[in-house]
Each structure stands twice: as C-alpha cells, then as structure tokens.
C-alpha cells in the first residue's frame, strides 16, 4: 500500500505539461521551420511587389501622408487596411523584426539540439543495429560477394574507409565502415553563417 501511495504523485508529475519542453520541441520541428521560411519568403515577396514608403518620407508624417494618398489610386479602399498591417513598410514593421527574431531563435535551438547527437554519431557511432534497421533504411542494398567479409573489408579500406568487424551470437560477421565522419559538423557551419547573417541584419538596424 505504501509503495502504491508513493508512486501516484510521480505519475501525476510526469503527466503535467511542460511549456518549455513543448516550445523547445516546436522550435526543433522541421514543419515549423518550413512555415517560418515560407512566411519569410512571402514577406519578402510582399516587400518587393507592394510599393514601400521611401526612406526620406518615413520620418516625415506630412510627406508620408501625401505618398499614401497617391497609393489610394492603386489600392483604393484596401489602402488603410494594408497600411494598418505595415504592408507599405514591410522591412521596418515590428512584426517583421519579430519574425526575424523568431527565425534566429529557431535556428539557434535547432543547432543546439543537434550538437549532442551529431557529436555522438561522430565519436561514438552505433556499430551494431538490428536486422529490421536494414529492412526499413532509406539507403540499402543487398548483394553477394564471393570473397566474403574479408574481400569487402579490403575493398572498403582501399577506398579510405575505417572498417571494424564484429560477430553476432550466431557467428555472422558484421562490418561497420565510415569515412569523413567529421563532415557531419559541416551543418553547424552553415547554421552559424545563417545566424551571423540574421543577427548582423538586426544589429545593423538597431545599433548600426
């Protein structure tokens, strides 16, 4: 009875919603990243197609109002609605910077979340996998070689693969081969370049 009474609060705690974990999972979600990229692309298209307020008029209310009256000839009754959503000044709108900052946060979270699995795959890769892995892997091939595992190992090593052999309990020989494993870190360079571009743009806008 005591054990059952103690286990109940633990189950309740684990069943509680963790907002931080949910937000982290959302920022790591590929579909959410595609939505952000799509929104950024649509924003850029709108900023190119829709006439934007000239820079000299942006800080002059009278000049801006005169410019907006000229836009009414093109957009009619939609002019005020579009102006309310800052569609005539997209690249200086608060929501545009909010989207920009959200993309920076998402890229940062995605990069951090991939760091540990990538390091583990490079330094401590899984050398033995179950048979069902080969049945469902995206890249797989079945073939027979008359020389057996020794010939396959020799061929892989000639191509600069580092090969390790293991034996299963039933005596089968398993090969694990890899090369250029450090190239997995290349994705972090691309993420870092993107972050530098995005952060640099924000710094130019607010502190440049």
């Amino acid at each position: 009875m005591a054990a059952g009474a103690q286990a109940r609060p633990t189950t309740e705690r684990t069943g509680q919603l963790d907002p931080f974990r949910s937000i982290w999972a959302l920022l790591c979600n590929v579909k959410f990243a595609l939505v952000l990229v799509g929104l950024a692309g649509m924003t850029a298209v709108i900023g190119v197609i829709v006439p934007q307020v000239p820079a000299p008029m942006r800080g002059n209310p009278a000049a801006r109002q005169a410019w907006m009256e000229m836009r009414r000839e093109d957009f009619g009754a939609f002019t005020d609605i579009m102006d309310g959503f800052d569609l005539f000044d997209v690249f200086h709108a608060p929501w545009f910077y909010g989207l920009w900052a959200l993309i920076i946060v998402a890229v940062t979270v995605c990069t951090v979340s991939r760091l540990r699995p990538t390091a583990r795959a490079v330094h401590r890769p899984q050398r033995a996998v179950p048979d069902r892995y080969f049945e469902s892997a995206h890249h797989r091939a079945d073939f027979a070689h008359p020389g057996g595992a020794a010939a396959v190992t020799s061929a892989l090593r000639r191509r600069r693969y580092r090969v390790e052999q293991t034996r299963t309990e039933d005596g089968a020989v398993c090969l694990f081969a890899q090369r250029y494993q450090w190239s997995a870190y290349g994705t972090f360079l691309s993420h870092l370049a993107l972050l530098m571009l995005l952060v640099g743009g924000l710094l130019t806008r607010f502190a440049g």
Side-chain angles (χ1 to χ4, degrees), residues 52-84:
Q52 302 293 289
V53 177
M57 299 180 180
R58 191 173 297 119
N60 189 328
R64 189 181 189 282
Q65 184 60 33
W67 186 87
M68 290 298 302
E69 292 300 325
M70 296 174 59
R71 301 284 73 78
R72 294 185 189 278
E73 300 177 1
D74 301 323
F75 301 99
F78 295 100
T79 304
D80 292 332
I81 299 176
M82 295 173 66
D83 188 32

Side-chain angles (χ1 to χ4, degrees), residues 47-123:
V48 171
I49 295 178
V50 177
Q52 302 293 289
V53 177
M57 299 180 180
R58 191 173 297 119
N60 189 328
R64 189 181 189 282
Q65 184 60 33
W67 186 87
M68 290 298 302
E69 292 300 325
M70 296 174 59
R71 301 284 73 78
R72 294 185 189 278
E73 300 177 1
D74 301 323
F75 301 99
F78 295 100
T79 304
D80 292 332
I81 299 176
M82 295 173 66
D83 188 32
F85 285 100
D86 294 319
L87 298 186
F88 294 110
D89 201 10
V90 169
F91 303 112
H92 295 85
W95 57 263
F96 175 76
Y97 292 117
L99 176 61
W100 201 334
L102 182 58
I103 293 176
I104 292 176
V105 173
V107 173
T108 303
V109 170
C110 184
T111 302
V112 172
S113 66
R114 288 185 178 183
L115 183 58
R116 183 178 295 179
T118 301
R120 183 170 58 248
V122 171
H123 300 285

Side-chain angles (χ1 to χ4, degrees), residues 126-198:
Q126 185 176 357
R127 290 169 171 78
V129 294
D131 293 339
R132 62 178 179 273
Y133 172 83
F134 298 103
E135 297 172 358
S136 59
H138 293 292
H139 304 286
R140 62 184 185 273
D142 297 327
F143 64 91
H145 197 287
V152 175
T153 300
S154 178
L156 289 172
R157 284 175 176 168
R158 285 198 301 270
R159 288 167 175 78
R160 301 181 184 276
Y161 280 90
R162 187 165 60 88
V163 184
E164 299 179 26
Q165 291 188 7
T166 57
R167 285 187 177 273
T168 61
E169 295 179 356
D170 57 0
V173 178
C174 297
L175 302 181
F176 176 81
Q178 65 175 350
R179 66 173 179 177
Y180 310 138
Q181 63 269 25
W182 292 94
S183 62
Y185 287 119
T187 182
F188 297 108
L189 295 178
S190 61
H191 285 187
L192 179 60
L194 179 59
L195 285 174
M196 291 178 64
L197 178 64
L198 295 172

Side-chain angles (χ1 to χ4, degrees), residues 1-18:
M1 296 295 291
Q6 292 177 357
R8 190 174 296 110
T10 302
T11 304
E12 293 177 355
R13 285 197 298 271
T14 56
Q16 293 178 354
L17 179 63
D18 187 350

